[in-house]
Structure formats: C-alpha cells, structure tokens
Amino acid sequence: MAAVAERVFSGVQPTGNLHLGNYLGAIKRFVELQERFDCIYCVVDLHAITVWQEPEELKRHTREVTAAFIACGIDPKKHIVFNQSQVSGHAELAWIFNCVARMGWLNRMTQFKEKAGKDRENVSVGLFAYPDLMAADILLYRATHVPVGEDQKQHLELTRDIAQKFNTDFGPSLSGLGFGEGYFPLTEPVIAGPATRVMSLRDGSKKMSKSDASDFSRINLTDDAEAIAGKVRRAKTDPEPLPSEEAGLKERPEADNLVGIYAALLDGTKQSVLDQFGGGQFSTFKGALVDLAVEKLSPIAGEMKRLMADVSAIDAILADGADRARVIADKTIADVKDIVGMVRR
Ligand code: TRP
C-alpha cells in the first residue's frame, strides 16, 4: 500500500444552536488534534440538506460553525477549514460510493432508522445515502483519523467497509495502475475523553440537543456569562451530597453529567473532580462550575460575535480553505476515475 500520511478529517453540520455538547464532544478535541496532525475540518452543508433547511438559515449556520471553529482555537491558516459544497469532489466520490455500498449495509444504519422513524417513505433519498457521503468526505482526503462521537461509530465502520470493498473490487485495476494493494486507508475513529456525551441540564438521561424545546437544557456557544451562570444554577440535581468515588455517580445521571462537564472543561477526570468536591453540597460545586464554565466558554461567545460581524472575512476563510482542500480532493478524484475506468482529459 502506498504510504499514506496521517491526516485528521471531521465534519460538523450547520444546523444551528451549537452547544456545550458540540464543544466538548467535538470541537475541543479538533483543537487538540492540531498539535499532532494535519487537520481538515469541514462544515458539512451537503449533509445538512438531507433534511429541509431554510436557505438563508443554512448560510448563516454555515458561517456560525466556521466562526465557532475559529473562536474555539482552530487555526485556519495551519489547517484547513471549509464548507463541503465548495469542493465538488465530495458529491462526486459520494456517487461512486453509492455504487460500492450495498442496500443491506445502509439498511442497518441506526441513525437512519431513528431519523426516518415511521416516515420512511417520505424522507429524502439523501438521508438514506448520508453515510456514503460521509465516507466520501473522509476518503476524499484519505484521512486516517476521524474524531467523532459515539453516535457516528457505525458510520465509520461503514466507511471502512466501503474502503475495503473498493480496494478489493478494483484490486486488479489498482495494481495495474501501480497503486499496490489498497488505495483507500482503513480509517480509525479517535476515541473520546471524558464527557464526550454531554446530557441535558434538565434531564440527565437525554443528550444535550439543539432541538430541545427548553433553552435551559443546553449551554449555547453563543450564551454570554449571565446566561451560562443562570443555566448552571438552574441545572437539575438530586438532594444527595456529591459522592467521593466515581462509582457513586452510577444511578445519578444529573450529578454524573455535571461532574463530567467540570472534568472535561478542566481536562481532568471525574475522580479528580470528586477528590475536590466529594462529600460536599451541590451548591458549592455548582458555584465552582459556574465560575469554570464562564471562564472557559464566555470568551468563545465573545469571539464568535466579533467574527460574525464580518461575514466577508468568514467567507474569505472558507474560500481559502476550499482552494486548499480542492488540491487534495482533485488528485483523489483523478485517481479514482482512472481506477474505476472513466475517460478523463
Ligand atoms: N455525520 C456527522 C455528524 O452528524 C458529520 C459528518 C459528516 C462527519 N461528514 C463527516 C464527521 C466526516 C466525521 C467525518 O456528526
């Protein structure tokens, strides 16, 4: 196999209301990976339109995710930040993968089953083919490491299956062209640290979600210090003091969630948080959590606001990122066309 450099790719959908869950579960880790890898971070607008998006909102949300990336510390000069639809290779490779993946594979995707529910006949074809586009995103850059949440693991397994079937189906063509054994790498998921699953502040058994009716259930990345403090103070808890050992969090989803958030914001472990606050009352811990959350998150909101005030600067960053992404993508598309047997100029 041709030596493939290590490269990180990940995507975030521009569907609005970025919150603490997106930060701790995804964007904060994207920031950390910049130290060790060449990274490509993509605002996946083609994925977003698998369900209806108001056109003006889609634009605004695309710029908002871009602003969030940068406000959180992603460097768009050293790494690549762009929106998916500006690089046509994503759609092209996704089509080819539609012809590699099997109906049976996609039929097993739990996210599709959940999103489609009983309305299977009425959802878009795109929603069904969504994982093929995701595989295309990753393999277009032959990315080796993909940071994602638990819920995307099945899609990454599918990405490996597609890569493997492509490599096998086109094996003779690959060796004929001098690509050796396999063209696409088998991508690894990057495993998460603590609190990658941030739960609702109102109900510790539900994921923090942009679509929860109560704004008190989530901390938005655009919330100012006052809003953050109010939401943490009002977060649901139980009447017991905090346990001293992590095992004591087991049947206490709200306590577990808040301790997990504190640990993740500080890059510590839940146990280290309990070493400090175990045995104490919730009110003391909540006071400390307010201070920590405001300290870590309110500068992000401020920076996002500043960036969003200059749309043309954000668009310039996206255009520059797309230009640099396209250089890599075009090479892959040319190789894939040769491998599959498409005549090209
Ligand atoms: N499906 C991912 C999500 O909803 C977003 C995504 C699209 C993605 N393409 C990707 C993530 C490629 C990682 C790699 O979270």
Side-chain angles (χ1 to χ4, degrees):
M1 180 157 155
V4 182
E6 293 200 320
R7 182 181 278 146
V8 167
F9 183 97
S10 198
V12 172
Q13 292 199 49
T15 48
N17 274 347
L18 281 176
H19 54 67
L20 184 63
N22 303 113
Y23 177 60
L24 294 179
I27 304 174
K28 186 167 180 291
R29 290 158 62 221
F30 297 178
V31 174
E32 291 156 6
L33 288 164
Q34 295 181 108
E35 297 293 318
R36 289 191 288 132
F37 298 95
D38 286 330
C39 303
I40 303 178
Y41 296 127
C42 185
V43 187
V44 289
D45 48 4
L46 298 174
H47 276 106
I49 62 163
T50 57
V51 297
W52 173 252
Q53 304 295 328
E54 285 301 332
E56 281 308 313
E57 294 277 283
L58 181 61
K59 278 192 195 166
R60 190 166 62 80
H61 291 153
T62 299
R63 292 172 177 137
E64 207 166 83
V65 174
T66 309
F69 280 171
I70 295 164
C72 291
I74 290 170
D75 182 344
K77 291 209 171 70
K78 285 206 188 113
H79 300 272
I80 295 179
V81 172
F82 74 109
N83 62 312
Q84 196 182 22
S85 61
Q86 289 206 48
V87 178
S88 59
H90 291 259
E92 286 183 75
L93 188 59
W95 179 259
I96 290 173
F97 287 170
N98 282 341
C99 302
V100 173
R102 306 290 92 184
M103 287 294 287
W105 299 0
L106 291 176
N107 267 327
R108 282 195 287 277
M109 294 295 117
T110 52
Q111 183 173 299
F112 175 74
K113 287 188 228 174
E114 276 164 23
K115 285 199 181 172
K118 291 194 179 71
D119 204 26
R120 261 185 97 108
E121 295 295 310
N122 270 317
V123 296
S124 72
V125 174
L127 191 69
F128 186 71
Y130 178 117
D132 291 349
L133 177 60
M134 182 164 158
D137 296 341
I138 296 165
L139 296 175
L140 191 55
Y141 304 97
R142 296 204 265 171
T144 48
H145 294 70
V146 179
V148 284
E150 261 315 292
D151 62 329
Q152 296 297 315
K153 270 196 164 163
Q154 196 185 27
H155 290 159
L156 274 194
E157 280 158 25
L158 185 90
T159 300
R160 294 168 69 92
D161 290 341
I162 288 174
Q164 196 139 42
K165 182 161 161 55
F166 182 95
N167 289 342
T168 315
D169 287 355
F170 295 102
S173 177
L174 280 174
S175 44
L177 288 161
F179 285 118
E181 288 289 288
Y183 182 73
F184 288 119
L186 304 181
T187 305
E188 295 291 339
V190 177
I191 305 302
T196 48
R197 240 172 105 79
V198 178
M199 311 307 279
S200 159
L201 300 179
R202 307 260 84 208
D203 176 353
S205 67
K206 282 201 318 212
K207 248 178 98 167
M208 186 174 283
S209 159
K210 66 175 190 311
S211 47
D212 194 309
S214 167
D215 197 53
F216 278 96
S217 70
R218 63 182 161 263
I219 296 174
N220 301 302
L221 288 188
T222 49
D223 285 344
D224 61 16
E226 200 182 326
I228 296 168
K231 286 174 178 181
V232 172
R233 285 205 196 93
R234 286 219 216 167
K236 189 176 168 197
T237 50
D238 57 45
E240 304 296 315
L242 281 173
S244 301
E245 300 298 326
E246 205 176 325
L249 292 170
K250 246 201 163 132
E251 303 295 319
R252 301 175 62 186
E254 283 82 19
D256 187 40
N257 189 37
L258 295 180
V259 169
I261 290 171
Y262 194 101
L265 283 172
L266 257 195
D267 295 314
T269 61
K270 288 182 187 175
Q271 188 55 54
S272 69
V273 178
L274 296 177
D275 289 344
Q276 196 182 342
F277 295 99
Q281 292 304 321
F282 252 114
S283 52
T284 313
F285 171 62
K286 267 192 174 177
L289 182 56
V290 165
D291 292 345
L292 180 64
V294 167
E295 178 199 324
K296 298 280 182 185
L297 302 174
S298 68
I300 295 176
E303 185 62 6
M304 276 179 75
K305 205 165 171 189
R306 193 187 67 76
L307 291 163
M308 285 299 281
D310 189 352
V311 167
S312 60
I314 294 186
D315 290 2
I317 289 169
L318 290 172
D320 172 65
D323 287 344
R324 288 186 288 135
R326 213 174 287 117
V327 174
I328 308 169
D330 284 354
K331 169 77 169 78
T332 305
I333 293 294
D335 288 348
V336 166
K337 285 183 174 177
D338 289 343
I339 293 163
V340 173
M342 288 163 170
V343 176
R344 65 181 177 91
R345 52 178 299 181

